[in-house]
Amino acid sequence: MAIKVTDAQGKQVTATDVGIESAVEHFNTVKLVDGSVLRIKVVATKARRLEGQYDQQGYPIYVLESKNVLVVDSVPEVLQKGGRNDTVRH
C-alpha cells in the first residue's frame, strides 16, 4: 500500500509498506558509570521503501519504524529503593 511520508529533507514522498519476513533482534549491554547495567534492543515494527529514492550505491531507501526495549539488568544496592543508602528526606 502506498502512503505519503516525510523524508529526511522534509519533503513529502510516496512510500510502500514492505512486510517484515523475519528479524534477529539482539540485546546490547550498556554499563553506566554508576555501576548499573542495562540491556537494550531495537524491535522493528514496520518497514517502508521510499519510491524513487536511492542511496549512492543505487539501493532503495527504506524507513524503519521501531520500538526500544530496555531491561534493567542490575543496579548497585546503594541506588535501589530500600538499599543501604536509601533514606527518607523531608
Side-chain angles (χ1 to χ4, degrees):
M1 175 173 89
I3 60 166
K4 291 288 186 180
V5 298
T6 304
D7 70 6
Q9 287 77 37
K11 295 187 324 184
Q12 287 285 310
V13 297
T14 302
T16 301
D17 285 334
V18 180
I20 298 171
E21 184 174 317
S22 65
V24 177
E25 298 158 341
H26 297 282
F27 276 97
N28 292 304
T29 301
V30 177
K31 185 169 184 181
L32 304 178
V33 295
D34 69 2
S36 300
V37 178
L38 310 176
R39 293 188 303 133
I40 188 169
K41 72 175 172 177
V42 176
V43 177
T45 58
K46 187 175 286 187
R48 293 185 172 125
R49 184 180 56 248
L50 302 185
E51 296 302 320
Q53 303 287 318
Y54 301 92
D55 66 12
Q56 287 101 356
Q57 289 86 26
Y59 297 143
I61 295 176
Y62 291 88
V63 175
L64 187 67
E65 290 184 19
S66 62
K67 294 183 180 183
N68 291 333
V69 176
L70 176 70
V71 176
V72 178
D73 192 53
S74 64
V75 177
E77 186 177 344
V78 297
L79 297 178
Q80 297 175 26
K81 184 174 182 177
R84 287 182 285 157
N85 288 340
D86 188 22
T87 59
V88 178
R89 296 183 184 166
H90 299 279

